[in-house]
Every structure is written in C-alpha cells, then in structure tokens.
Amino acid sequence: MDICKTHENASKCSVNTMECFMVLSTQTQKISIATLCGLFGTLCIFENSLVLYLIFSSPGTRKKPSYLFISSLALADILASIIFVCSFVNFHVFNETDVSKEMFLLQLGGVNTSFSASLSSLLLTALDRYISISRPSEYKLLMTRKRAWIALGVLWVTCATIASLPLLGWNCCTLDSTCSELFPFVDDNYVSSWICFIMVLVGCIVYAYTHVLWRAHQHVAYMEKHQVQVGKQNTRMRMDVMLAKTLVMVLTVLVLCWSPVLVLMIYSIFARLSNHLRKVFAFCSTLCLLNSMVNPIIYALRSKELYSSLRMLCSRFRRQLKASEESPEAESTHKSSMIET
C-alpha cells in the first residue's frame, strides 16, 4: 500500500515519508518556486544588509532603541532568507531526502526562529512607536538603550526556545501522536501552539499600529480645526499623514503575506488537505519571504535619517566610480605626453 495514501500512514515517522510532502510534481512548478525563492531571497539579503550597514555606520542611529529594533528585524530577515531558501529549495526542488529527522527538525527550527524573530521585532517596533505617540513626554525614560537590548535578548531566546521544541522532543515520532500534514515529523498540537503564538504577535502588532493610526488621525483633525501656528502645524500634519501612510502599508503587507499561510495551517488542523492545497501552501510560504524583502523598504528606507545616509552613500559611491573612470584616462594622457616629449 502506498504510504502517501492515508493521513495515518503519511504520519509514520520514516525518512521515506518525506517524499509524501514533496508536492511539486512538474518541472514548471519547481522552476517557479526556485525563481521566487532566488529572487526574493537575494533582494532580501541585499536590502537588509544595506539597512544594517546604514544603521551601524552612523553613531546617531545605532544608539537609538528604535533603530536597534529595526536592526533586529533586518538580521532576522537575513537569517530567514538564507535558511528558508536553502532548506525549502533543497527539499521541494531538488527533493533531497538524505537527511535525518534531527537535521530536518534543526532546519525547520532555524526557519521558525528567524521568522518568529522577524515578527517579534515588528512587534517591538510597533510598541516603540505606540509608546512614542501615547506617552511622548516619558518616552526617553521608558525606552532606554539598556531596556531595548534586554527586550531583544528575551525576544531571541523565546523564539529560539519555541522553535527548538520539536527537536527537543515535541514531535510526533517521540510522542507517537498525530503528525502534521504540512511538515514531516511535526506534531499537530505543536503546529496549533505555534499558530497561536504567531496570531498573538500579529494581533498585538495590528492593535499597536491601529492605536497609532487613530492618534495620528486625531492630531490631523485637531490641527485642521485649530488654525494656529500654521507653519509648524502643517509640518506636523505632513509628518502624521506620512506616518499614517507608512502604517497602512505595514498592516496591508503584513496581513497579505501572512494570512494565506496561517489560514491553510489552521485549516490543516481541522480537515484533510488535498494535494492542490498543499501545493498552494508551498507557494504561499514564499510570501513570508516577500514580507522579509519588503520590511526594509517600509521600516528603514522611509526613515529620514536612514534615507539621508543612503543618499550620502550613493553619492560617495558615484564619486569613487567617477574617479576610477577618470584615472585611466589621466594616466593614458600622461603617457602620451611623455612619448611626445
């Protein structure tokens, strides 16, 4: 009997059952997945590496708690891109089954850690902006650099601990329980718990940014009603409108990228998934990588300080490039003048 036919048989803890989870059946599907992963992964690594360079190359930005959170976000997205692309393409495109259960769970734990840390860093960024707009007079006292580092330490330890639970024993092989239909060797109850953890993170992010949007809207309405100190108020109004647009982009991208994956994972707990839906899940997983690629554009490059640093870096690069192009011409002119002499 084919081990992929029934859910009970597909849940058996054999390395051979990993073939049941390789749902990409045609070469076109494999090429499409490889192309998406390669494109999103390369851009994600480049963009987030640039953000890290811009933050830590400037003494003014690397000391601010808000930029420490953005740095954590960029680092998590880089790790997510590297681990996810390597393991995902190796599994679904090259159909690599010559890995042990422990190695597979280790790779899955790395992916879960990086994506969870990415969302958790988004949450810290959301809380940072929530405090800055709800309690502006106390912001510097509440959000110190030391507290920011402590929060980041707790964040990464918590995400790594939760992600490593299947490797430490919470898997269907050790517990002899029902395995997930989406991930080999992973217990269904662990998938449910991880979904709850991610949903809490996303819910807190949405709540914090919704509150910030509401406060920004209140401020714009107040300034439109009271026309006093027009110059300063117009500047502040433009800042609030820009903040509102940024936060709308944040929430839209976050929901669009994570909703399909979470919906299919929730559906897999309560019902059987067809091969078509499992293929859809494989393609939707790349949307989480797309979110990591878009994060630096939304969070970092829309920052005035980082954008000015980026412009300075580009202008310096152009000057160096222009100087390198002109130096051979000057050298050849000097040589020709020597020959003529």
Side-chain angles (χ1 to χ4, degrees), residues 206-219:
V206 171
Y207 171 79
Y209 278 143
T210 302
H211 180 81
V212 173
L213 279 172
W214 177 68
R215 292 296 295 267
H217 173 73
Q218 274 190 327
H219 194 80

Side-chain angles (χ1 to χ4, degrees), residues 269-280:
I269 297 172
F270 300 102
R272 288 285 308 278
L273 289 179
S274 63
N275 284 335
H276 175 70
L277 284 179
R278 292 165 74 189
K279 289 178 184 178
V280 171

Side-chain angles (χ1 to χ4, degrees), residues 24-36 93 283:
L24 303 182
S25 54
T26 65
Q27 197 67 20
T28 303
Q29 294 172 355
K30 293 181 180 180
I31 293 174
S32 300
I33 282 286
T35 303
L36 290 174
V93 177
F283 278 93

Side-chain angles (χ1 to χ4, degrees), residues 35 37 57 59 63 71 75 98 106 118 152 163 184-185 204 227 258 269 276 280 293:
T35 303
C37 289
S57 62
K63 293 181 180 179
S71 301
L75 177 62
D98 190 21
L106 180 62
S118 177
L152 289 176
F185 314 123
C204 292
Q227 294 297 327
W258 278 91
I269 297 172
H276 175 70
V280 171
M293 186 193 78

